[in-house]
Amino acid sequence: MELLYGPIKDYAWGSRCAIAELQGRPVPSEGPEAELWLGAHPGAPASVDRDGGRVALTEVLAADPAGWLGRRVVDRFGARLPFLLKVLAAAAPLSLQAHPDAEQARAGYAADDARCDGHRNYVDPFHKPELLVALGPMEALCGFRDPAVSAEVLAGLGVPELGPVLDALDAGAAGLAEAVRLLLTWPTADRAGLVAAVRKASVRRAAVAGPDAELVELLAEAYPADPGVVVALLLNRVRLAPGEAIWMPAGNLHAYLRGTGVEVMAASDNVLRGGLTRKRVDVAELLRVLRFEVLDQPVVAPRPVADGVVTWPVPVTDFALHRVTVGQQPEVTLTVPGPWLVLCTSGQVDVVDMVAPVTLGTGQAAVGSAAGGSLTVSGAGEVYVASPGHC
């Protein structure tokens, strides 16, 4: 194992407290800190110490892919680390977004290569399923809720312009695609009026609408002419307690609202946005990849696998995530195969593999190669361990 140093993305929605506090730096930070990237994604690779300086993990892996990744990973994913670990810290809502499946990503990347206008939806040919585990209270929108519930909420607003959307929702899950299409393609000249009418109606009904009225106000304050404010009312609003997770497979429409979590994903940066953002939006492509299915239970509870160890099972082979807690349990051995990315989120721990030990304090990270065999964690604290899934 060796220390890993991750870059921080300064997106505008980021917190000025969460990542700085985790790493023991002064609060508030000089600017927003949205995501701490720990991995070998070419868009923002982490680095390790080499010969008195720091070298990008991408370069280290490229010099010896089989040694670092192991033959099993190279055969399945090629000479690249197939997963990326992040700390996500949202002080404001993120965009309405979804990610493509593997086939869509390959085709979309190839199609973008052939475009002449310079615009890209796909920055790599890989899919990007995600798992986010809350470090503290966290809120998100995740997947479509029962259309009957959404129809009742929208009908209660008494906004006549929403009539066609209500008609679509009356068809149940079969009408979700049309409802979302109508809203995201709302005539540009009429968008501010729609959001203003919905906002006014939700304030009037705040005592009845409760969380839905609060959601409209939160989003409309930042995006007063974005019909994504209304699309948000079609989604599950999820409140995560620490340790609870949400799973976002391909085609799942979602948006983080606020809070801090550990996020693990396939190593891709393909994001298709439909609203609530000032970044590139491609509604047609988003609608093409969305899965218009009702998600009854978006929250994933941790599953114990050993004393001091929990995981959140996911149906992909790109990654697995475990949380290891030591203190009452003085030492824990994790037998999942490497390579590993390890993040300490509290306390101080020693992490030992068959190559070299490393000591991590809160907010520090480490990387270990597939040659490391197994991991042993001791001390008093908590770490998250990302590794390949079962190939």
Side-chain angles (χ1 to χ4, degrees), residues 65-83 316-320 322 335-340 368-371 373 386-391:
W68 264 91
L69 301 170
R71 180 52 56 190
R72 183 180 71 107
V73 169
V74 172
D75 288 347
R76 174 68 176 83
F77 299 101
R80 65 185 188 94
L81 187 66
F83 55 90
V316 295
T317 59
D318 305 72
F319 61 82
H322 292 79
T335 58
V336 297
W340 307 285
S369 75
S387 64
H390 295 290
C391 295

Side-chain angles (χ1 to χ4, degrees), residues 1 17 91 131 164 184 189 270 362:
M1 301 298 296
C17 299
L131 176 78
L184 291 184
N270 283 324
T362 303

Side-chain angles (χ1 to χ4, degrees), residues 37-323:
W37 285 38
L38 299 168
H41 190 282
S47 59
V48 294
D49 292 318
R50 288 288 188 281
D51 301 323
R54 290 185 182 172
V55 176
L57 186 57
T58 46
E59 296 182 29
V60 174
L61 299 184
D64 183 15
W68 264 91
L69 301 170
R71 180 52 56 190
R72 183 180 71 107
V73 169
V74 172
D75 288 347
R76 174 68 176 83
F77 299 101
R80 65 185 188 94
L81 187 66
F83 55 90
L84 174 63
L85 187 66
K86 294 182 183 180
V87 176
L88 182 145
L94 281 67
S95 59
L96 279 174
Q97 60 185 262
H99 310 296
D101 63 26
E103 182 177 348
Q104 290 165 340
R106 284 192 297 269
Y109 184 73
D112 279 357
D113 275 349
R115 293 175 64 151
C116 300
D117 59 8
H119 295 303
R120 296 198 71 103
N121 288 312
Y122 297 89
V123 297
D124 56 61
F126 307 115
H127 69 164
K128 192 191 176 192
E130 301 175 346
L131 176 78
L132 180 134
V133 181
L135 287 177
M138 191 161 190
E139 295 184 55
L141 303 173
C142 183
F144 292 104
R145 64 181 175 182
D146 185 341
V149 174
S150 298
E152 182 179 359
V153 170
L154 295 187
L157 294 174
V159 176
E161 295 91 332
L162 290 175
V165 178
L166 290 169
D167 290 342
L169 292 174
D170 283 344
L176 276 173
E178 178 63 6
V180 175
R181 186 196 68 79
L182 285 168
L183 289 169
L184 291 184
T185 60
W186 205 268
T188 302
D190 300 333
R191 292 183 172 192
L194 173 68
V195 175
V198 169
R199 189 177 187 181
K200 181 177 180 180
S202 67
V203 169
R204 187 175 66 248
R205 296 188 66 251
V208 177
D212 290 314
E214 186 217 348
L215 177 62
V216 168
E217 187 61 25
L218 173 69
L219 299 178
E221 179 68 24
Y223 301 101
D226 193 324
V229 173
V230 189
V231 176
L233 297 175
L234 309 183
L235 303 177
N236 293 296
R237 185 174 183 182
V238 180
R239 291 178 172 85
L240 297 175
E244 290 183 325
I246 45 178
W247 162 242
M248 283 133 314
N252 175 291
L253 189 60
H254 63 277
Y256 300 119
L257 297 177
R258 51 196 166 200
T260 305
V262 171
E263 192 177 27
V264 63
M265 64 197 66
S268 169
D269 203 23
N270 283 324
V271 181
L272 298 167
R273 301 177 180 88
L276 305 181
T277 182
R278 293 172 179 83
K279 294 183 179 180
R280 174 174 167 77
V281 169
D282 189 327
V283 170
E285 187 65 13
L286 176 68
L287 292 173
R288 194 179 72 82
V289 305
L290 281 182
R291 294 180 180 174
F292 295 98
E293 306 163 344
V294 175
L295 181 60
D296 292 324
Q297 179 49 271
V299 178
V300 181
R303 178 183 297 178
V305 295
D307 288 344
V309 182
V310 301
T311 191
W312 299 262
V314 294
V316 295
T317 59
D318 305 72
F319 61 82
L321 185 68
H322 292 79
R323 186 184 68 209

